[in-house]
Amino acid sequence: MASAKAASRNGEYLCIEVCLADSETAEILAAEAFEAGTAGIEERDSADGILLLLYVPAAAEAEVQAAIERVAPEARIGAPQRIAPANWSEQWKLGLTAAEISPRLLMRPSFVEAVSLPGQTQLIIDLGQAFGTGRHPSTHLSLEWIDALAPTLESRDPNWRVLDVGTGTGVLALAALRYGARVAFAFDLDPLATQATCANARANGIESGLEVFTGTLDAIADETFDLVVANLLRTEMMPLIAGIAARVRPGGHAVFAGLLRDECETVIAAARAVGLSHSGVREMADGNGDLWSALLMTQ
Ligand code: SAH
């Protein structure tokens, strides 16, 4: 990814829109586009099929265009749009710049250099092909909860354990390990997500304590955790709430993120029904003004 490194220095990125008829071609193109130096990909459904927005460092444009020509010669391709370097929030969301989560944690993609504050740890997170797992207020809020809870969890039990439900890029599990968790289990239904998690673990030199698998919550039979984080859509979360509650140690916590403010009541009620109590909420607006919430529940 030498070309991506060069481009990121002056922050020049292009957005290339490609409209594809089927998801199989979209998946192949995504893989090839990453290989050719694409830094981030957004997938949208469109009336004609699937729209891929490829965020490409300017220096990698020719290679990415060649990949599109090879994989999807029939695809409709939009004229590349330059992304203004000043559009920080879009670039951050797509994982194209460094982001300060707290005075203790800075996140950055591997191809961007960043200087951290004294005492601030850096976490390298690349999206890889983990679709739909771009950095989002819900990820930010989950990280804030981990940041806030870590000192207490550490003082209660230096061997504190974390479960990351729907790990995506692995960001929450890896952050917890950086904050001192002894063990983090991270799983996802999507094999591309667990692949990205393993790659990010390697990029950060985090090897011990991380258990990654592709699958469902049922695979974790008799384990309990000091903290369970679940950044999922409400519809994905609801069927998992009882199973999550059963895996939280007495006195431990669950963080339910990925919720819009008006979805919280239903989730709180379902969590209370299985013995969790509501002990906090963090909120953050996205670029559209929608308010995202991350609930803290306690066993
Ligand atoms: N934890 C990451 C990713 C959140 S996106 C972050 O905070 O940024 C949600 C992820 O949950 C997706 O990767 C999706 O594949 C996964 N997912 C959805 N339902 C799931 C389920 N029932 N079990 C496991 N993973 C699930």
Side-chain angles (χ1 to χ4, degrees):
M1 291 263 288
S3 50
K5 267 189 192 114
S8 64
R9 256 183 240 126
N10 57 17
E12 267 185 48
Y13 286 91
L14 302 166
C15 178
I16 305 175
E17 290 191 16
V18 188
C19 190
L20 300 148
D22 63 287
S23 57
E24 205 177 313
T25 315
E27 209 167 291
I28 298 168
L29 178 59
E32 297 268 326
F34 272 117
E35 204 53 38
T38 296
I41 298 185
E42 218 178 317
E43 187 186 7
R44 293 188 191 153
D45 289 329
S46 84
D48 309 327
I50 292 166
L51 187 66
L52 286 189
L53 283 79
L54 309 179
Y55 293 87
V56 180
E61 185 191 358
E63 275 182 65
V64 173
Q65 293 280 15
I68 299 169
E69 186 56 33
R70 206 169 48 241
V71 175
E74 310 283 304
R76 268 195 294 119
I77 307 171
Q81 305 288 317
R82 196 168 162 268
I83 308 176
N87 194 349
W88 180 85
S89 66
E90 278 309 295
Q91 294 198 11
W92 173 77
K93 200 169 73 192
L94 291 158
L96 303 181
T97 65
E100 185 171 283
I101 302 298
S102 82
R104 298 203 298 158
L105 182 67
L106 184 125
M107 271 171 63
R108 67 174 176 89
S110 58
F111 48 86
V112 168
E113 301 293 328
V115 179
S116 35
L117 300 169
Q120 190 176 47
T121 180
Q122 290 196 6
L123 195 62
I124 297 168
I125 297 293
D126 285 327
L127 294 183
Q129 293 174 58
F131 269 56
T133 58
R135 281 182 268 177
H136 187 270
S138 61
T139 307
H140 201 295
L141 292 168
S142 305
L143 288 166
E144 281 185 11
W145 272 125
I146 297 170
D147 184 80
L149 295 167
T152 315
L153 294 172
E154 177 79 32
S155 68
R156 271 197 224 146
D157 179 358
N159 293 322
W160 58 288
R161 294 155 49 87
V162 173
L163 172 63
D164 181 4
V165 179
T167 193
T169 54
V171 52
L172 304 181
L174 294 172
L177 289 167
R178 268 291 154 81
Y179 278 120
R182 183 59 60 93
V183 168
F185 279 52
F187 72 97
D188 203 292
L189 295 175
D190 182 351
L192 292 174
T194 44
Q195 231 168 286
T197 299
C198 293
N200 283 323
R202 276 194 302 276
N204 287 286
I206 295 175
E207 267 135 38
S208 80
L210 181 66
E211 301 279 345
V212 184
F213 68 92
T214 305
T216 63
L217 189 59
D218 301 335
I220 301 167
D222 297 320
E223 308 266 355
T224 57
F225 299 85
D226 302 275
L227 175 64
V228 181
V229 283
N231 178 10
L232 302 169
L233 297 175
R234 186 186 61 83
T235 47
E236 296 169 336
M237 181 142 15
M238 291 302 284
L240 298 180
I241 290 178
I244 288 175
R247 287 162 179 84
V248 181
R249 277 191 186 158
H253 303 286
V255 168
F256 295 126
L259 305 168
L260 290 166
R261 182 190 255 181
D262 61 9
E263 296 176 320
C264 288
E265 218 171 291
T266 320
V267 172
I268 293 171
R272 282 195 173 132
V274 290
L276 296 174
S277 58
H278 179 211
S279 38
V281 63
R282 284 172 184 265
E283 296 189 319
M284 186 184 272
D286 65 18
N288 302 323
D290 289 324
L291 201 57
W292 294 85
S293 304
L295 301 169
L296 181 69
M297 308 293 301
T298 302
Q299 181 67 278

